[in-house]
Amino acid sequence: MTVRSRDLIVVGASAGGVQALRDFVSGLPADLPAAVLIVLHLPAHGTSALPHILKRSGPLPATTALNGDPLEHGRILVAPSDRHILIRGGRITLSDGPTENGHRPAVNALFRSAALSAGPAVTGVLLSGVLDDGVAGLAAIAARGGTVVVQDPAEAIYPTVPELALRHVRADYVLPAADMGGVLRNIALEQVDVDLAPPPDVLLPTPQEVVASRSDGSGPLWDAVRLLDERVLVARRMAELAMVQGTDELVERYRQEADEAGRAADALREYLTWALAAEPTTTRP
């Protein structure tokens, strides 16, 4: 049996995230017995000032994550621009892998990595944002037995992400960002048997999990397909507007986002079509 404390906190935010993160770190206790990793969806180029902002906003030191950094209690590590931040062997790995929904760093990439690495020892925190940034990763944390904390949509500058998270993932806590610190400290003091975490394949949808919704096309997986299709339409429309305005960089960015969302929608739609045709007769225990 492997027992450890719930001492890994991963945090994601996108639109409206700077203010939400400032509020969040302001409430963290100076003796927090956990490492804190943060992803804010950023432009691909340039240097983020977020570590300096967060360092001034709360009692904990905040720095840009470096490849190979250890996970240390009472320290905030922020994903750098244009690199995914992942966890492997108790250390930080920075990756220049493919963007997710047009973003690198991506909230989902960090959340999935944390779920696979630490299972129930992880607490996932999702703050203000648009579209569905981070919702899939938060579901992965929940699936591995981790703790789910979501910003109260009523106080989020952009409530779409918290609202979608609450619709698709059962949250353990729904709180204003500034009120999360004390709760997170108490969670970090809990001990958990990481050997009891469901195996990583629980993060993947199975045919059995989609058959129940085949009659009317409802359910979170079909919702995800529709959301991706909508994202394609929005991104293409934004590319058209950017072309009219003569901003070539934005045109390329939105076209790339439309292509990525389209590929993801097609892959998930193909999987669901295959799963429904499989006519499974057993269910996951």
Side-chain angles (χ1 to χ4, degrees):
M1 182 174 67
T2 304
V3 176
R4 61 174 285 185
S5 59
R6 298 182 187 268
D7 62 348
L8 176 59
I9 299 169
V10 291
V11 187
S14 55
V18 173
Q19 184 58 53
L21 287 167
R22 290 179 64 182
D23 293 342
F24 170 77
V25 301
S26 72
L28 294 177
D31 60 347
L32 181 68
V36 181
L37 309 183
I38 291 176
V39 166
L40 174 67
H41 284 171
L42 298 166
H45 304 289
T47 302
S48 171
L50 185 61
H52 302 287
I53 294 172
L54 299 184
K55 184 165 56 175
R56 296 195 303 266
S57 301
L60 298 182
T63 59
T64 300
L66 299 176
N67 202 53
D69 271 347
L71 303 180
E72 298 179 359
H73 290 183
R75 183 185 179 196
I76 298 171
L77 294 178
V78 178
S81 299
D82 204 30
R83 303 293 296 277
H84 293 307
I85 179 172
L86 309 174
I87 303 167
R88 291 176 183 164
R91 290 184 175 271
I92 296 298
T93 295
L94 299 181
S95 168
D96 59 358
T99 62
E100 295 197 23
N101 299 332
H103 296 290
R104 187 174 57 225
V107 176
N108 280 332
L110 170 61
F111 281 15
R112 284 197 311 269
S113 173
L116 291 170
S117 175
V122 178
T123 296
V125 178
L126 199 54
L127 304 174
S128 174
V130 296
L131 298 177
D132 62 346
D133 295 338
V135 175
L138 198 66
I141 289 173
R144 290 277 283 160
T147 305
V148 172
V149 181
V150 177
Q151 183 179 13
D152 185 346
E155 73 135 19
I157 297 175
Y158 290 87
T160 304
V161 165
E163 288 172 349
L164 279 175
L166 295 177
R167 189 180 307 166
H168 294 293
V169 185
R170 189 170 72 175
D172 297 289
Y173 300 93
V174 181
L175 298 165
D179 295 344
M180 294 178 179
V183 171
L184 292 173
R185 183 181 186 279
N186 292 336
I187 293 171
L189 292 172
E190 297 175 1
Q191 299 290 304
V192 62
D193 182 0
V194 296
D195 294 333
L196 294 179
D201 64 4
V202 78
L203 305 183
L204 301 175
T206 67
Q208 294 87 346
E209 291 169 328
V210 299
V211 164
S213 65
R214 63 184 173 182
S215 61
D216 59 2
S218 63
L221 295 180
W222 285 115
D223 288 345
V225 172
R226 284 188 285 271
L227 188 61
L228 287 165
D229 285 338
E230 292 172 5
R231 179 177 290 171
V232 171
L233 295 175
V234 171
R236 286 176 178 170
R237 178 57 179 159
M238 295 302 293
E240 292 172 359
L241 293 174
M243 186 178 297
V244 171
Q245 296 168 355
T247 51
D248 293 341
E249 184 176 346
L250 283 179
V251 170
E252 180 59 29
R253 174 183 170 186
Y254 286 125
R255 283 178 174 171
Q256 180 182 4
E257 184 170 339
D259 289 344
E260 290 177 350
R263 287 194 297 270
D266 289 343
L268 184 53
R269 189 180 290 107
E270 181 180 354
Y271 171 82
L272 290 172
T273 301
W274 166 82
L276 296 180
E279 293 287 337
T281 58
T282 60
T283 59
R284 176 179 293 180

